[in-house]
Amino acid sequence: MRQYPTEPPTSVLASTDVALVGLFSAKDRAYGARLDVLAANVEAHGGRVVSRHVQRRGVSHGGAHKMAVPFSRRTLLSRGKAREIAQACRAAEVGAVVFVNPLTEHQRTASGT
């Protein structure tokens, strides 16, 4: 018989080390403030933000025109950035990754979320 706690956990993020990830336009000068808002929200739910990862896009003329399209249908980010973030999260024993950008169903499935 499964035992359930008498008190539900305060949050899914309670006492969890969290990494923040965002894909931002190179023209977005306020991306740090957007990450700060997300960090405050994570911390309000009991999580501890231990790292922040940013992928910038749109520096080149061609990149600016493609800003609305993710780097990868599978990961949202470029392959190298996704690998870099995964390695950093493993090394820091991160329990959850919170994205600034909405993920497609395919991206959520591919990332195991």
Side-chain angles (χ1 to χ4, degrees), residues 10-18 42 45-48 95:
T10 12
S11 168
V12 172
L13 296 177
S15 301
T16 300
D17 288 341
V18 177
V42 165
H45 286 87
R48 287 183 304 273

Side-chain angles (χ1 to χ4, degrees), residues 19-99:
L20 305 181
V21 178
L23 170 62
F24 300 98
S25 165
K27 295 179 182 179
D28 183 353
R29 305 249 187 264
Y31 73 90
R34 291 177 61 197
L35 283 172
D36 290 343
V37 169
L38 183 59
N41 195 11
V42 165
E43 290 166 0
H45 286 87
R48 287 183 304 273
V49 176
V50 296
S51 64
R52 296 174 180 214
H53 305 274
V54 173
Q55 173 95 52
R56 302 297 301 270
R57 185 171 199 177
V59 176
S60 68
H61 178 68
H65 290 302
K66 295 178 181 177
M67 186 54 218
V69 179
F71 277 102
S72 165
R73 186 174 96 81
R74 183 174 167 79
T75 63
L76 176 75
L77 308 165
S78 68
R79 188 176 309 152
K81 182 59 81 170
R83 190 174 20 251
E84 173 188 318
I85 292 168
Q87 289 172 345
C89 288
R90 279 192 295 274
E93 298 181 359
V94 166
V97 176
V98 178
F99 284 80

Side-chain angles (χ1 to χ4, degrees), residues 103-111 113:
L103 299 178
T104 65
E105 184 65 34
H106 185 77
Q107 290 163 342
R108 284 192 297 274
T109 301
S111 67
T113 57

